[in-house]
């Protein structure tokens, strides 16, 4: 447990004499935008203990670590790094984001309100996806940068509040890329396939790739799978093709990014691409209850 390890290191430093006890605070650098929905990568001294909001984060042998900021993360996050009895605490200012409202009408009713007899299947599929995202491997690929998984314009952005057939749903946790059926889809970073499913109710043919330390990417509505569970992929290696399987209104790739169960915005990791036109100015959102 990182906290205990820090304590032991601290005790050792104290025994070694006042000189060691006066060691400098551990280094800390962060990369990535500190904003809602962001994956943030940090570096500190190997062996340092890091916690975010009081929860320990895993630090690899080189001192690298990462964490995700939820789409509705509060305005500050508290990061503590300790090594050799010294600790630094940093309060991170998390930039808020304005999310769009996306209305999609004309979806088949059974996709918006699944019939009760489907509940068992949906629950199984939910747990399958959750388990893949819980993978906590030592793969280093989360540190190597990400690329767009296929060509095409952005047709749907992260965080949009979705109203399907007039019914408010959970936000859109991913980026949609418009491309014709059959367009190759490739891994946006190297990793291991932790889910390759032919027929999930909402997402159709679906792939999840683990990049290490809880970071994974998701590729859904595929026309064809070109990978199998357990397969190692290099960045840019084809894993399937664009399609419209599952709950989809036309050929596109839905690309997702997760840090464990936290849904993040993959578009923050890659060069910007043209997206849908900005929505017209709207009335302020209604006050949140409570
Ligand atoms: Zn989507």
């Amino acid at each position: 447990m990182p906290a205990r390890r820090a304590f032991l290191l601290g005790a050792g430093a104290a025994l070694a004499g006042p000189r060691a006890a006066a060691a400098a605070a551990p280094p800390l650098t962060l990369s990535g935008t500190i904003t809602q929905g962001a994956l943030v990568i940090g570096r500190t001294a190997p062996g340092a203990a890091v916690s975010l909001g009081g929860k320990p984060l895993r630090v690899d042998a080189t001192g690298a670590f990462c964490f995700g900021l939820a789409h509705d993360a509060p305005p500050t996050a508290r990061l503590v790094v300790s090594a050799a009895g010294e600790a630094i605490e940093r309060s991170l200012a998390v930039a808020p984001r304005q999310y769009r409202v996306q209305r999609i009408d004309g979806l088949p009713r059974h996709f918006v309100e699944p019939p009760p007899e489907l509940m068992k299947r949906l629950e199984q599929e939910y747990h399958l996806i959750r388990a893949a995202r819980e993978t906590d491997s030592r793969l280093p690929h989360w540190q190597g940068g990400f690329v767009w998984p296929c060509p095409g314009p952005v047709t749907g952005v992260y965080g949009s509040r979705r109203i399907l057939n007039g019914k408010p749903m959970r936000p859109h946790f991913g980026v949609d890329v418009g491309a014709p059926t059959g367009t190759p889809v490739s891994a946006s970073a190297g990793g291991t396939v932790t889910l390759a499913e032919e027929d999930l109710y909402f997402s159709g043919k679906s792939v999840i790739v683990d990049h290490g330390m809880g970071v994974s990417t998701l590729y859904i509505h595929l026309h064809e799978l070109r990978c199998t569970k357990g397969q190692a992929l290099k960045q840019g290696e084809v894993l399937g093709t664009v399609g419209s399987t599952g709950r989809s209104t036309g050929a596109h790739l839905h690309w997702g990014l997760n840090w464990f169960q936290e849904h993040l915005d993959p578009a923050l990791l890659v060069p910007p691409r043209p997206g849908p036109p900005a929505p017209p100015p709207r009335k302020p959102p209604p006050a949140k209850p409570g």
Side-chain angles (χ1 to χ4, degrees):
M1 207 175 128
R4 182 170 166 79
R5 195 168 172 202
F7 169 75
L8 291 173
L9 283 169
L15 289 172
R19 216 166 163 196
L28 173 62
T29 57
L30 296 176
S31 56
T33 326
I34 311 292
T35 186
Q36 290 176 332
L39 176 70
V40 181
I41 293 178
R43 288 181 198 283
T44 182
V50 180
S51 70
L52 179 74
K55 287 187 194 151
L57 299 179
R58 194 142 67 72
V59 181
D60 80 2
T62 69
F65 63 92
C66 65
F67 58 89
L69 296 165
H71 81 290
D72 57 354
T76 54
R78 192 171 60 93
L79 193 69
V80 178
V81 181
S82 49
E86 297 288 325
I88 48 169
E89 182 174 333
R90 208 190 277 180
S91 179
L92 309 175
V94 180
R97 294 175 67 175
Q98 285 275 359
Y99 297 115
R100 296 181 178 193
V101 178
Q102 186 183 23
R103 287 168 207 278
I104 304 177
D105 293 314
L107 282 169
R109 196 189 153 141
H110 60 278
F111 275 140
V112 181
E113 295 167 78
E117 61 268 26
L118 268 172
M119 290 321 282
K120 198 174 174 190
R121 175 183 172 184
L122 293 179
E123 204 171 300
Q124 281 170 348
E125 295 184 358
Y126 168 82
H127 286 293
L128 209 59
I129 293 170
R130 236 187 122 77
R133 286 177 172 153
E134 211 49 41
T135 305
D136 186 9
S137 77
R138 309 261 155 172
L139 292 178
H141 305 293
W142 54 277
Q143 299 178 55
F146 290 75
V147 295
W148 284 96
C150 73
V154 171
T155 55
V157 296
Y158 170 90
S160 308
R161 291 187 300 131
R162 310 187 96 184
I163 300 166
L164 306 184
N165 292 357
K167 201 177 148 124
M169 309 294 276
R170 69 170 204 164
H172 180 240
F173 288 128
V175 171
D176 292 335
V177 181
T181 297
T183 304
V185 173
S186 54
S188 49
T192 302
V193 177
T194 49
L195 180 141
E197 286 290 324
E198 290 282 350
D199 182 27
L200 297 182
Y201 185 76
F202 286 117
S203 56
K205 291 185 199 287
S206 307
V207 171
I208 293 179
V209 180
D210 163 44
H211 307 295
M213 301 274 267
V215 178
S216 67
T217 47
L218 168 83
Y219 311 81
I220 62 173
H221 307 310
L222 300 172
H223 178 66
E224 191 191 349
L225 297 186
R226 291 204 191 152
C227 64
T228 52
K229 190 178 171 184
Q231 187 180 336
L233 294 173
K234 292 192 179 80
Q235 184 176 64
E237 199 171 337
V238 174
L239 55 79
T241 60
V242 171
S244 188
T245 55
R247 186 176 74 190
S248 168
T249 48
H252 74 285
L253 173 71
H254 172 103
W255 178 37
L257 170 73
N258 272 69
W259 178 62
F260 297 107
Q261 306 303 329
E262 209 69 82
H263 302 286
L264 308 177
D265 185 358
L268 295 173
L269 301 176
V270 288
R273 260 193 196 175
R282 59 186 166 89
K283 291 176 282 181
K288 278 187 189 160

